[in-house]
PDB file of all heavy atoms in Angstrom:
ATOM      1  N   TYR C 582      78.464 -19.921 -81.793  1.00 97.00           N
ATOM      2  CA  TYR C 582      77.961 -18.588 -82.109  1.00 97.00           C
ATOM      3  C   TYR C 582      77.832 -17.705 -80.873  1.00 97.00           C
ATOM      4  O   TYR C 582      77.276 -16.606 -80.954  1.00 97.00           O
ATOM      5  CB  TYR C 582      76.592 -18.685 -82.802  1.00 97.00           C
ATOM      6  CG  TYR C 582      76.602 -19.629 -83.980  1.00 97.00           C
ATOM      7  CD1 TYR C 582      75.698 -20.673 -84.064  1.00 97.00           C
ATOM      8  CD2 TYR C 582      77.536 -19.472 -85.000  1.00 97.00           C
ATOM      9  CE1 TYR C 582      75.717 -21.546 -85.141  1.00 97.00           C
ATOM     10  CE2 TYR C 582      77.566 -20.346 -86.080  1.00 97.00           C
ATOM     11  CZ  TYR C 582      76.656 -21.378 -86.140  1.00 97.00           C
ATOM     12  OH  TYR C 582      76.685 -22.232 -87.202  1.00 97.00           O
ATOM     13  N   ALA C 583      78.325 -18.192 -79.762  1.00 97.00           N
ATOM     14  CA  ALA C 583      78.101 -17.475 -78.501  1.00 97.00           C
ATOM     15  C   ALA C 583      78.559 -16.026 -78.597  1.00 97.00           C
ATOM     16  O   ALA C 583      77.910 -15.117 -78.076  1.00 97.00           O
ATOM     17  CB  ALA C 583      78.812 -18.193 -77.358  1.00 97.00           C
ATOM     18  N   ALA C 584      79.660 -15.815 -79.296  1.00 96.00           N
ATOM     19  CA  ALA C 584      80.235 -14.473 -79.321  1.00 96.00           C
ATOM     20  C   ALA C 584      79.391 -13.501 -80.143  1.00 96.00           C
ATOM     21  O   ALA C 584      79.550 -12.293 -80.046  1.00 96.00           O
ATOM     22  CB  ALA C 584      81.666 -14.540 -79.855  1.00 96.00           C
ATOM     23  N   ARG C 585      78.487 -14.037 -80.955  1.00 97.00           N
ATOM     24  CA  ARG C 585      77.641 -13.151 -81.761  1.00 97.00           C
ATOM     25  C   ARG C 585      76.459 -12.617 -80.968  1.00 97.00           C
ATOM     26  O   ARG C 585      75.774 -11.704 -81.427  1.00 97.00           O
ATOM     27  CB  ARG C 585      77.008 -13.927 -82.922  1.00 97.00           C
ATOM     28  CG  ARG C 585      77.896 -14.941 -83.525  1.00 97.00           C
ATOM     29  CD  ARG C 585      77.257 -15.559 -84.733  1.00 97.00           C
ATOM     30  NE  ARG C 585      78.320 -15.728 -85.700  1.00 97.00           N
ATOM     31  CZ  ARG C 585      78.160 -16.069 -86.959  1.00 97.00           C
ATOM     32  NH1 ARG C 585      76.948 -16.286 -87.414  1.00 97.00           N
ATOM     33  NH2 ARG C 585      79.174 -16.181 -87.754  1.00 97.00           N
ATOM     34  N   VAL C 586      76.186 -13.271 -79.888  1.00 98.00           N
ATOM     35  CA  VAL C 586      74.962 -12.937 -79.150  1.00 98.00           C
ATOM     36  C   VAL C 586      75.156 -11.646 -78.369  1.00 98.00           C
ATOM     37  O   VAL C 586      76.031 -11.556 -77.519  1.00 98.00           O
ATOM     38  CB  VAL C 586      74.601 -14.091 -78.189  1.00 98.00           C
ATOM     39  CG1 VAL C 586      73.462 -13.686 -77.275  1.00 98.00           C
ATOM     40  CG2 VAL C 586      74.262 -15.349 -78.973  1.00 98.00           C
ATOM     41  N   VAL C 587      74.359 -10.650 -78.697  1.00 98.00           N
ATOM     42  CA  VAL C 587      74.416  -9.381 -77.971  1.00 98.00           C
ATOM     43  C   VAL C 587      73.136  -9.260 -77.152  1.00 98.00           C
ATOM     44  O   VAL C 587      72.040  -9.241 -77.702  1.00 98.00           O
ATOM     45  CB  VAL C 587      74.504  -8.181 -78.940  1.00 98.00           C
ATOM     46  CG1 VAL C 587      74.666  -6.882 -78.156  1.00 98.00           C
ATOM     47  CG2 VAL C 587      75.636  -8.375 -79.932  1.00 98.00           C
ATOM     48  N   ALA C 588      73.292  -9.219 -75.853  1.00 98.00           N
ATOM     49  CA  ALA C 588      72.097  -9.150 -75.008  1.00 98.00           C
ATOM     50  C   ALA C 588      71.584  -7.725 -74.944  1.00 98.00           C
ATOM     51  O   ALA C 588      72.328  -6.804 -74.629  1.00 98.00           O
ATOM     52  CB  ALA C 588      72.434  -9.658 -73.608  1.00 98.00           C
ATOM     53  N   LEU C 589      70.324  -7.553 -75.265  1.00 98.00           N
ATOM     54  CA  LEU C 589      69.665  -6.264 -75.057  1.00 98.00           C
ATOM     55  C   LEU C 589      68.534  -6.494 -74.072  1.00 98.00           C
ATOM     56  O   LEU C 589      67.442  -6.894 -74.450  1.00 98.00           O
ATOM     57  CB  LEU C 589      69.098  -5.711 -76.370  1.00 98.00           C
ATOM     58  CG  LEU C 589      70.098  -5.364 -77.482  1.00 98.00           C
ATOM     59  CD1 LEU C 589      69.353  -4.755 -78.677  1.00 98.00           C
ATOM     60  CD2 LEU C 589      71.158  -4.392 -76.989  1.00 98.00           C
ATOM     61  N   ALA C 590      68.833  -6.292 -72.824  1.00 98.00           N
ATOM     62  CA  ALA C 590      67.841  -6.608 -71.801  1.00 98.00           C
ATOM     63  C   ALA C 590      67.470  -5.355 -71.030  1.00 98.00           C
ATOM     64  O   ALA C 590      68.328  -4.536 -70.733  1.00 98.00           O
ATOM     65  CB  ALA C 590      68.392  -7.665 -70.852  1.00 98.00           C
ATOM     66  N   ASN C 591      66.205  -5.237 -70.741  1.00 97.00           N
ATOM     67  CA  ASN C 591      65.743  -4.116 -69.933  1.00 97.00           C
ATOM     68  C   ASN C 591      64.739  -4.643 -68.921  1.00 97.00           C
ATOM     69  O   ASN C 591      63.962  -5.539 -69.210  1.00 97.00           O
ATOM     70  CB  ASN C 591      65.082  -3.046 -70.804  1.00 97.00           C
ATOM     71  CG  ASN C 591      64.782  -1.801 -69.998  1.00 97.00           C
ATOM     72  OD1 ASN C 591      65.687  -1.212 -69.432  1.00 97.00           O
ATOM     73  ND2 ASN C 591      63.517  -1.420 -69.920  1.00 97.00           N
ATOM     74  N   CYS C 592      64.736  -4.065 -67.767  1.00 96.00           N
ATOM     75  CA  CYS C 592      63.952  -4.651 -66.678  1.00 96.00           C
ATOM     76  C   CYS C 592      63.496  -3.559 -65.733  1.00 96.00           C
ATOM     77  O   CYS C 592      63.999  -3.436 -64.623  1.00 96.00           O
ATOM     78  CB  CYS C 592      64.844  -5.662 -65.958  1.00 96.00           C
ATOM     79  SG  CYS C 592      64.023  -6.625 -64.728  1.00 96.00           S
ATOM     80  N   ASP C 593      62.546  -2.759 -66.179  1.00 96.00           N
ATOM     81  CA  ASP C 593      62.066  -1.696 -65.306  1.00 96.00           C
ATOM     82  C   ASP C 593      60.610  -1.897 -64.899  1.00 96.00           C
ATOM     83  O   ASP C 593      59.976  -1.000 -64.374  1.00 96.00           O
ATOM     84  CB  ASP C 593      62.260  -0.331 -65.975  1.00 96.00           C
ATOM     85  CG  ASP C 593      61.533  -0.242 -67.315  1.00 96.00           C
ATOM     86  OD1 ASP C 593      60.838  -1.210 -67.672  1.00 96.00           O
ATOM     87  OD2 ASP C 593      61.662   0.783 -67.998  1.00 96.00           O
ATOM     88  N   GLY C 594      60.082  -3.063 -65.171  1.00 97.00           N
ATOM     89  CA  GLY C 594      58.723  -3.356 -64.752  1.00 97.00           C
ATOM     90  C   GLY C 594      57.702  -3.059 -65.830  1.00 97.00           C
ATOM     91  O   GLY C 594      56.523  -3.381 -65.677  1.00 97.00           O
ATOM     92  N   LEU C 595      58.145  -2.448 -66.915  1.00 97.00           N
ATOM     93  CA  LEU C 595      57.223  -2.056 -67.974  1.00 97.00           C
ATOM     94  C   LEU C 595      57.507  -2.859 -69.241  1.00 97.00           C
ATOM     95  O   LEU C 595      58.624  -3.337 -69.437  1.00 97.00           O
ATOM     96  CB  LEU C 595      57.398  -0.568 -68.268  1.00 97.00           C
ATOM     97  CG  LEU C 595      57.266   0.344 -67.044  1.00 97.00           C
ATOM     98  CD1 LEU C 595      57.666   1.770 -67.389  1.00 97.00           C
ATOM     99  CD2 LEU C 595      55.840   0.294 -66.512  1.00 97.00           C
ATOM    100  N   PRO C 596      56.508  -2.999 -70.091  1.00 98.00           N
ATOM    101  CA  PRO C 596      56.748  -3.672 -71.370  1.00 98.00           C
ATOM    102  C   PRO C 596      57.795  -2.893 -72.163  1.00 98.00           C
ATOM    103  O   PRO C 596      57.899  -1.666 -72.051  1.00 98.00           O
ATOM    104  CB  PRO C 596      55.389  -3.609 -72.074  1.00 98.00           C
ATOM    105  CG  PRO C 596      54.381  -3.354 -70.993  1.00 98.00           C
ATOM    106  CD  PRO C 596      55.096  -2.583 -69.937  1.00 98.00           C
ATOM    107  N   LEU C 597      58.558  -3.595 -72.966  1.00 98.00           N
ATOM    108  CA  LEU C 597      59.561  -2.940 -73.800  1.00 98.00           C
ATOM    109  C   LEU C 597      58.882  -2.011 -74.794  1.00 98.00           C
ATOM    110  O   LEU C 597      57.734  -2.212 -75.164  1.00 98.00           O
ATOM    111  CB  LEU C 597      60.374  -3.986 -74.561  1.00 98.00           C
ATOM    112  CG  LEU C 597      61.155  -4.991 -73.721  1.00 98.00           C
ATOM    113  CD1 LEU C 597      61.952  -5.921 -74.627  1.00 98.00           C
ATOM    114  CD2 LEU C 597      62.076  -4.290 -72.728  1.00 98.00           C
ATOM    115  N   THR C 598      59.618  -0.989 -75.229  1.00 98.00           N
ATOM    116  CA  THR C 598      59.088  -0.096 -76.256  1.00 98.00           C
ATOM    117  C   THR C 598      59.932  -0.208 -77.512  1.00 98.00           C
ATOM    118  O   THR C 598      61.108  -0.559 -77.454  1.00 98.00           O
ATOM    119  CB  THR C 598      59.136   1.374 -75.802  1.00 98.00           C
ATOM    120  OG1 THR C 598      60.503   1.732 -75.588  1.00 98.00           O
ATOM    121  CG2 THR C 598      58.344   1.592 -74.537  1.00 98.00           C
ATOM    122  N   ALA C 599      59.296   0.134 -78.625  1.00 98.00           N
ATOM    123  CA  ALA C 599      60.015   0.145 -79.896  1.00 98.00           C
ATOM    124  C   ALA C 599      61.158   1.149 -79.824  1.00 98.00           C
ATOM    125  O   ALA C 599      62.236   0.920 -80.358  1.00 98.00           O
ATOM    126  CB  ALA C 599      59.055   0.507 -81.023  1.00 98.00           C
TER     127      ALA C 599
END
Side-chain angles (χ1 to χ4, degrees):
Chain C
Y582 308 125
R585 323 186 141 190
V586 172
V587 184
L589 296 183
N591 188 58
C592 187
D593 58 4
L595 306 171
L597 299 182
T598 62

